[in-house]
Amino acid sequence: MNNSDVIVVGAGPAGLMLAAELRLAGVRPLVLERQPTPRHTQKAHGLSGQILHLLRYRGILDRFEAATTDPVPPPRFPYGGVHLDLTRLVDPPLGALPLRQHRLEQLLAERAVELGAEIRRGHEVVRLSQDEDVVTAEVRGPDGTYEVTARYLVGCDGGRSRIREMAGIPFPGTTYPEVNRIAEVRVHESVTVLENGDLEAPGLRVRAGYTRTDRGVFAVGSLTPGVLMMQTTEEDPSEVDNDEPMPLEEMRESIRRVLGADLPLGEVTRLSRYQFQARQAERYRDGRVLLAGDAAHLLPATGVALNAGMLDSVNLAWKLAAEVQGRAPDGLLDTYHAERHYAGARALLQTQAQVALRRGQDAAGEALRAVFQELLADEQPARRLGALVAGADLRYPTGDGHPLTGTFAPDLVLHTDQGTTSVAELLHAARPVLLDLAGRDDLREIAGGWADRVDVRTAKADDRPADALLIRPDGHLAWVGGEPESLRDALTTWFGEVSG
């Protein structure tokens, strides 16, 4: 029987991010992946939203930026059949990094292994049980079946999660009847891309953006010169397997059905299909079994799932580590469900709004999209929607009255005796930080009682939001202010009793 601190089931982005974060917190994760080799199915095309800021706060965003060969697109995003254009904003709340999912997973796996995580591919969890002390997984591997025990097990095994099933956690929601097919292709020699983005082919002209017919929707655009991204959306009541490879001819036939004509396709670099679902697990924890990523939520829009799933992992890791190491205050692990179920519900809110926008095919639906597009021409609605899509508007419920408590810590420029630094640099090690911005000896003295768990830093900031900030490892603010007793309460609530 093998033993580990935490078993992570699934070597997708959520599982690999969790493994790395657990190692930063000093915990030994074992990642079990059913597939024998890394996946090369082109599902997600990049990262977007708040996870980009978190990667920067860990000091590794440049590693992901260096791995992409595609230009970073301007902040202009599809939203339920309209366009969310943030290019006019000096500091858009939503950005994107083009990076194919297999490359993203490769980079995440490399980092997890560098930090000391173990990844076993071709090892499938077929049964699990738990008691008050441990969870036991029966695993089928290349050399037979064996058991592994751990303090906790986290299912990061996707929308069809066996772990969620075995834990008996309900997954209510809706499967929408549309089937979406995506192709990334080079421009065919017989196709001309006009200055406005429209396509001209023999006997056919297709406008850039969305073309709606009575048979479905065709969308086309380009982020890279000479390369087109195409998508068809058709009604199909039967459920499809998102992980099943899609042949090129299936895409050709779908385009022919929607447009009523053939569109020549050049060299294909990506093919995938998916069916949207809006589902959320009733609970993200069942005893010693937890869920993260697509196992916990499926969102009916593109460009959202990776952001939400990887942020689940960052929120969970430091709390799980505290439990494993016996230093967690009562109820800390339960805040994972409270906070990330709330975040998942927010993500469902905006993605289901996209469903309502894109599904209307009559005059009323066209009018709704037209009015919505007009609203997005103004800065404040565009900024608010961008923050909602990014997950940047989250304020976790804390009961604290300060408006910044529960939000993601702003990346202040910090002036110290050693030079200039930033909030982002303070969080590279994924440790909590009390940041004293006002030279408050009394606050630093209180935090000294938690010196084994909380780093204390003193600095000055040009635009100081408060006397001091207590920043959690996931970048969210646990406390903001200057009142000593409330700081003591916050330290106890999040990081346990004062050191003996």
Side-chain angles (χ1 to χ4, degrees):
M1 181 179 289
N2 296 272
N3 295 307
S4 185
D5 290 331
V6 178
I7 300 168
V8 179
V9 182
L16 294 170
M17 188 73 184
L18 178 60
E21 290 285 302
L22 286 169
R23 284 302 302 140
L24 285 173
V27 165
R28 297 175 299 118
L30 169 62
V31 181
L32 301 174
E33 167 56 50
R34 179 175 60 87
Q35 297 293 337
T37 57
R39 288 174 286 257
H40 287 275
T41 303
Q42 296 301 333
K43 296 175 74 177
H45 189 63
L47 289 169
S48 64
Q50 195 67 11
I51 190 61
L52 293 174
H53 296 290
L54 194 285
L55 292 174
R56 183 165 56 84
Y57 277 34
R58 288 293 182 264
I60 57 173
L61 180 59
D62 56 350
R63 189 167 174 172
F64 294 83
E65 291 174 333
T68 183
T69 56
D70 296 331
V72 175
R76 187 183 297 114
F77 305 91
Y79 189 87
V82 301
H83 288 91
L84 175 58
D85 189 346
L86 305 176
T87 56
R88 303 168 314 234
L89 304 184
V90 176
D91 55 341
L94 175 63
L97 177 67
L99 187 63
R100 300 176 192 279
Q101 185 162 335
H102 77 276
R103 184 69 175 119
L104 168 65
E105 292 182 1
Q106 180 185 7
L107 292 171
L108 289 170
E110 288 173 359
R111 174 167 165 79
V113 171
E114 286 169 11
L115 292 170
E118 180 183 358
I119 301 174
R120 297 180 188 173
R121 298 187 184 274
H123 293 250
E124 180 181 8
V125 175
V126 294
R127 186 173 293 105
L128 63 84
S129 60
Q130 59 175 313
D131 57 31
E132 290 184 2
D133 300 313
V134 298
V135 58
T136 302
E138 184 179 328
V139 183
R140 183 166 55 228
D143 300 322
T145 301
Y146 63 96
E147 284 189 348
V148 58
T149 64
R151 296 286 303 283
Y152 291 92
L153 180 147
V154 186
C156 301
D157 53 336
R160 296 170 181 254
S161 171
R162 288 293 311 282
I163 298 303
R164 186 186 61 238
E165 230 175 72
M166 286 187 274
I169 299 175
F171 199 44
T174 301
T175 298
Y176 294 100
E178 305 103 327
V179 175
N180 303 274
R181 297 176 174 89
I182 290 180
E184 181 181 325
V185 302
R186 297 199 176 278
V187 178
H188 191 271
E189 59 185 12
S190 67
V191 175
T192 301
V193 182
L194 303 180
E195 200 168 302
N196 65 355
D198 289 359
L199 306 183
E200 274 194 351
L204 180 66
R205 177 163 179 162
V206 183
R207 70 181 185 184
Y210 299 94
T211 297
R212 295 176 181 275
T213 72
D214 57 2
R215 297 169 298 278
V217 180
F218 177 79
V220 64
S222 178
L223 298 176
T224 305
V227 178
L228 298 173
M229 287 292 295
M230 300 178 178
Q231 177 173 320
T232 62
T233 302
E234 299 178 87
E235 294 273 342
D236 188 341
S238 59
E239 191 168 331
V240 303
D241 185 350
N242 293 354
D243 294 322
E244 185 70 24
M246 183 180 75
L248 176 59
E249 189 55 33
E250 183 178 327
M251 186 71 194
R252 292 187 196 276
E253 291 173 356
S254 181
I255 293 173
R256 188 181 305 126
R257 286 193 299 268
V258 174
L259 295 179
D262 287 310
L263 178 64
L265 304 180
E267 179 189 353
V268 176
T269 56
R270 175 189 175 192
L271 284 169
S272 62
R273 85 168 77 70
Y274 57 91
Q275 193 169 31
F276 280 131
Q277 297 189 54
R279 298 185 183 277
Q280 187 173 27
E282 283 190 1
R283 56 188 185 277
Y284 286 12
R285 179 187 180 191
D286 183 82
R288 295 187 174 273
V289 177
L290 300 104
L291 305 174
D294 287 354
H297 43 69
L298 291 174
L299 306 169
T302 57
V304 183
L306 280 182
N307 182 53
M310 292 172 71
L311 290 175
D312 287 345
S313 298
V314 176
N315 183 287
L316 174 59
W318 67 276
K319 300 171 181 178
L320 202 52
E323 289 284 347
V324 168
Q325 293 162 350
R327 52 181 175 79
D330 289 344
L332 178 66
L333 195 52
D334 290 331
T335 68
Y336 169 65
H337 168 85
E339 293 181 345
R340 293 311 296 171
H341 197 275
Y342 167 73
R346 294 285 292 170
L348 273 174
L349 175 73
Q350 64 93 359
T351 52
Q352 286 180 303
Q354 292 193 50
V355 173
L357 278 171
R358 70 172 179 252
R359 280 179 63 81
Q361 302 300 322
D362 57 5
E366 293 288 354
L368 175 63
R369 286 185 288 272
V371 170
F372 202 85
Q373 191 72 74
E374 283 192 24
L375 290 173
L376 293 180
D378 294 336
E379 177 177 342
Q380 189 54 37
R383 183 177 293 280
R384 182 160 187 166
L385 184 60
L388 176 59
V389 174
D393 68 329
L394 279 180
R395 183 189 182 211
Y396 292 139
T398 63
D400 188 300
H402 197 286
L404 286 179
T405 307
T407 66
F408 196 73
D411 191 17
L412 305 173
V413 175
L414 303 175
H415 309 286
T416 73
D417 293 340
Q418 289 75 43
T420 301
T421 184
S422 66
V423 168
E425 289 186 21
L426 296 183
L427 290 179
H428 285 186
R431 281 177 57 85
V433 175
L434 175 71
L435 178 57
D436 173 15
L437 297 172
R440 293 283 301 271
D441 294 342
D442 55 340
L443 300 181
R444 294 198 306 276
E445 183 178 351
I446 289 172
W450 285 263
D452 59 329
R453 285 157 280 169
V454 178
D455 295 337
V456 179
R457 298 287 183 266
T458 300
K460 293 182 179 179
D462 295 333
D463 188 13
R464 188 177 79 199
D467 278 7
L469 308 175
L470 180 58
I471 310 172
R472 307 185 329 187
D474 61 359
H476 282 260
L477 294 169
W479 171 88
V480 178
E483 206 281 316
E485 285 310 308
S486 64
L487 171 61
R488 193 187 307 276
D489 290 343
L491 286 163
T492 304
T493 296
W494 293 105
F495 308 113
E497 295 294 333
V498 66
S499 300

